[in-house]
């Protein structure tokens, strides 16, 4: 088997689990090509001949996985999201193991599913995302957490949220597949996979293979007003608590365009862009082929 490993050295805590993965995976006759970046080299440059490999391992955070998946969209090359970042939300949503030997076994078994990707365009630049993108409060949290992620891990996001209890509020003008709605709130999210930190589900369903976004407006006036929705998300593990309270307004669409007054900062898959609204986005149906565990297969194969 010919395997390309993209290793983002700047992700997470700088652990070397990906090297354990390579040792565990390799068998007689295999070729494992490891290419690394500390952020100086563009990940896309490391993928110049990726289609000549049997599979690609994206070792890093969710932003790294999104960049690899977007670069290989609709290519048929399967990607293993290797959780080496801070939050590793894609691994959480896929119910993937975190241990490198178990991940090596998943690649060797070769079970894959095709998942939707999102593409967001802001200020003339395009980015791919797998989990969610948005503007406003979530982008402020991502920005505020950046300095502490290596030291505090996922708790850096909670700290950033607590330190910003009165975030900016804007009025949104949202085009949903050609239909326009107006709303206002602390932010807006385009959701593909629904789970975020601490296993909280933003929306009741987790449907990353249905060809649509859940478009979620954070209607609250303060961060404290989001707390009931957070508790609902924590409780909704088995599908018994679909209500997200009036703090969330949820739409569905394939193509979305968002303007905010005043403008808000934009993020995608935990990457704070420093770019401001307006933005547009579209779903790319089943464009990313990802390796899945037995549990991930049970969760998504029939959806």
């Amino acid at each position: 088997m010919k395997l390309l490993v993209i290793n983002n050295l700047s992700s997470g805590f700088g652990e070397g689990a990906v090297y354990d993965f390579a040792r565990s995976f390799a068998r007689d006759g295999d070729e494992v090509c490891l290419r690394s970046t500390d952020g100086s080299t563009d990940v896309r440059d490391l993928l110049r001949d990726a289609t000549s490999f049997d599979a690609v391992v994206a070792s890093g955070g969710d932003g790294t996985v999104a960049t690899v998946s977007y670069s290989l969209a609709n290519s048929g090359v399967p990607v293993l999201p290797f959780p080496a970042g801070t939050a590793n939300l894609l691994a959480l949503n896929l119910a993937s193991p975190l241990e490198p030997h178990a991940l090596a076994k998943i690649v060797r078994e070769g079970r894959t599913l095709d998942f939707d990707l999102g593409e967001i365009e802001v200020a003339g630049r395009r980015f791919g995302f797998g989990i969610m993108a948005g503007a406003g409060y979530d982008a402020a949290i991502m920005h505020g957490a950046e300095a502490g992620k290596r030291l505090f891990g996922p708790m850096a996001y909670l700290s950033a949220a607590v330190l910003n209890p009165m975030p900016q509020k804007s009025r949104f003008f949202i085009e949903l597949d050609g239909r326009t709605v107006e709303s206002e709130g602390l932010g807006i999210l385009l959701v593909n996979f629904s789970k975020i930190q601490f296993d909280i589900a933003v929306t009741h369903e987790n449907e990353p293979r249905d060809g649509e976004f859940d478009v979620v407006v954070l209607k609250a006036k303060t961060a404290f007003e989001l707390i009931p929705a957070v508790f609902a998300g924590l409780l909704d593990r088995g599908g018994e608590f679909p209500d997200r309270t009036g703090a969330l307004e949820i739409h569905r669409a394939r193509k979305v365009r968002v303007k905010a007054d005043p403008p808000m900062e934009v993020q995608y898959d935990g990457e704070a862009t420093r770019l401001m609204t307006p933005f547009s986005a579209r779903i790319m149906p089943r464009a990313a082929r990802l390796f899945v565990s037995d549990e991930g297969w049970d969760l998504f194969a029939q959806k």
Side-chain angles (χ1 to χ4, degrees):
M1 192 171 183
K2 189 177 180 183
L3 192 67
L4 174 61
V5 179
I6 303 299
N7 181 28
N8 189 341
L9 299 168
S10 63
S11 292
F13 302 102
E15 298 173 344
V18 71
Y19 305 110
D20 294 329
F21 166 88
R23 285 192 293 268
S24 179
F25 175 83
R27 295 182 182 176
D28 181 66
D30 286 342
E31 177 183 341
V32 180
C33 177
L34 177 69
R35 295 175 182 166
S36 298
T37 177
D38 62 3
S40 303
T41 300
D42 194 311
V43 168
R44 292 168 294 185
D45 293 336
L46 304 179
L47 293 165
R48 57 190 180 275
D49 58 348
T51 56
S52 68
F53 288 82
D54 296 311
V56 174
V57 176
S59 175
D62 293 312
T64 301
V65 178
T67 300
V68 171
S69 298
Y70 183 54
S71 298
L72 295 176
N74 296 310
S75 69
V77 177
V79 175
L80 175 73
F82 190 94
T86 305
N88 302 313
L89 296 184
L90 187 55
L92 170 67
N93 278 274
L94 291 173
S96 293
L98 302 180
E99 202 272 330
H101 305 288
L103 290 165
K105 181 180 178 182
I106 288 174
V107 176
R108 186 62 69 180
E109 290 173 345
R111 185 182 291 110
T112 64
L113 287 172
D114 293 339
F115 291 90
D116 298 340
L117 280 176
E119 179 186 72
I120 185 169
E121 182 172 355
V122 54
R125 300 175 62 185
R126 293 182 180 180
F127 308 93
F129 64 96
I131 304 163
M132 61 187 72
Y137 189 40
D138 60 314
I141 291 173
M142 302 305 172
H143 194 165
E146 279 190 310
K149 286 196 296 185
R150 282 222 167 193
L151 182 60
F152 299 112
M155 292 302 296
Y157 298 104
L158 179 61
S159 175
V162 169
L163 292 174
N164 189 13
M166 301 292 290
Q168 173 190 320
K169 185 178 179 181
S170 291
R171 184 155 193 85
F172 298 109
F173 304 87
I174 312 165
E175 292 182 21
L176 303 163
D177 293 334
R179 174 176 61 94
T180 301
V181 300
E182 293 186 23
S183 190
E184 61 181 9
L186 305 181
I188 185 168
L189 293 171
L190 309 186
V191 178
N192 188 30
F193 284 96
S194 67
K195 288 188 177 181
I196 58 173
Q197 285 86 1
F198 312 110
D199 206 20
I200 297 169
V202 175
T203 58
H204 176 57
E205 299 290 342
N206 193 8
E207 299 284 357
R209 307 181 71 224
D210 65 351
E212 289 186 305
F213 295 120
D214 285 322
V215 182
V216 181
V217 181
L218 307 180
K219 293 282 290 181
K221 296 178 182 178
T222 70
F224 299 111
E225 291 183 16
L226 291 173
I227 291 175
V230 170
F231 274 112
L234 281 169
L235 290 170
D236 194 19
R237 302 297 173 84
E240 296 90 356
F241 296 92
D243 184 22
R244 289 296 182 273
T245 77
L248 303 184
E249 175 184 309
I250 302 176
H251 307 274
R252 292 180 64 79
R254 296 180 299 276
K255 293 183 179 180
V256 182
R257 180 169 175 79
V258 176
K259 296 180 182 179
D261 183 21
M264 288 181 153
E265 186 177 350
V266 177
Q267 68 85 20
Y268 68 96
D269 278 1
E271 301 291 319
T273 65
R274 271 57 168 197
L275 302 173
M276 308 294 285
T277 53
F279 70 79
S280 60
R282 68 181 181 102
I283 201 79
M284 302 172 67
R286 303 199 178 190
R289 181 161 295 173
L290 304 179
F291 287 99
V292 293
S293 63
D294 291 341
E295 187 174 352
W297 179 271
D298 290 341
L299 283 172
F300 297 111
Q302 303 304 318
K303 293 184 178 182

